[in-house]
Amino acid sequence: MHYTVVERELELNLILSSERSVPVPARLSYRTEDPYAVHIAFHINSEHPVNWTFARELLVEGVFRPCGHGDVRVWPTKSPGRSIVLIALSSPDGDALLEAPSAQVSTWLERTLRLVPPGSESEQLGIDDALDQLLAQ
């Protein structure tokens, strides 16, 4: 089976306080062999990038309205003169609030949705083919 990867590098802002943030280079990745998930790698130019994986559906919904609970929450908001998506990440090692440009995230998500439309993710997993092969033996 042929798999496809859709990636987008962008700069996020790690919010430290209401007055201060620091830029964080990141890479959004979507892999058709893992069709329900999106992957974000932070500090991509460093020796030890930080990787997060969560549901693509969560990011899609979070572009339009607040969603998520627990480790990952996503919601849209406005910053002076631009639309942004906030991503709150929580782990035993700490919490982070990241700001992403809405237009860049939305454009990347649209590419993933054209590749694997919502509701068709299970077709990418090849479960039916694997079952057919197993039962044929």
Side-chain angles (χ1 to χ4, degrees), residues 94-111:
D95 300 325
L97 179 60
L98 296 140
E99 177 184 286
S102 248
Q104 291 179 18
V105 172
S106 294
T107 299
W108 176 79
L109 278 171
E110 286 171 15
R111 288 177 56 207

Side-chain angles (χ1 to χ4, degrees), residues 106-132:
S106 294
T107 299
W108 176 79
L109 278 171
E110 286 171 15
R111 288 177 56 207
T112 75
L113 294 169
R114 280 194 304 271
L115 187 62
V116 179
S120 70
E121 294 92 348
S122 65
E123 296 166 20
Q124 297 295 314
L125 298 175
I127 293 173
D128 291 336
D129 292 339
L131 280 175
D132 287 346

Side-chain angles (χ1 to χ4, degrees), residues 11-85:
E11 188 172 272
L12 304 181
N13 287 313
L14 175 62
I15 309 297
L16 302 174
S17 71
S18 59
E19 304 85 33
R20 187 159 179 247
S21 65
V22 293
V24 176
R27 179 182 302 115
L28 298 171
S29 296
Y30 178 77
R31 304 176 194 124
T32 56
E33 77 259 22
D34 190 8
Y36 291 101
V38 294
H39 307 270
I40 303 179
F42 302 101
H43 304 290
I44 55 175
N45 300 321
S46 73
E47 194 173 314
H48 303 286
V50 175
N51 298 293
W52 275 78
T53 301
F54 54 90
R56 176 177 69 162
E57 183 179 346
L58 179 66
L59 190 56
V60 169
E61 186 176 338
V63 168
F64 298 102
R65 66 188 140 279
C67 66
H69 52 78
D71 294 348
V72 181
R73 292 175 292 124
V74 183
W75 65 97
T77 192
K78 298 275 187 201
S79 187
R82 60 195 182 107
S83 295
I84 57 173
V85 175

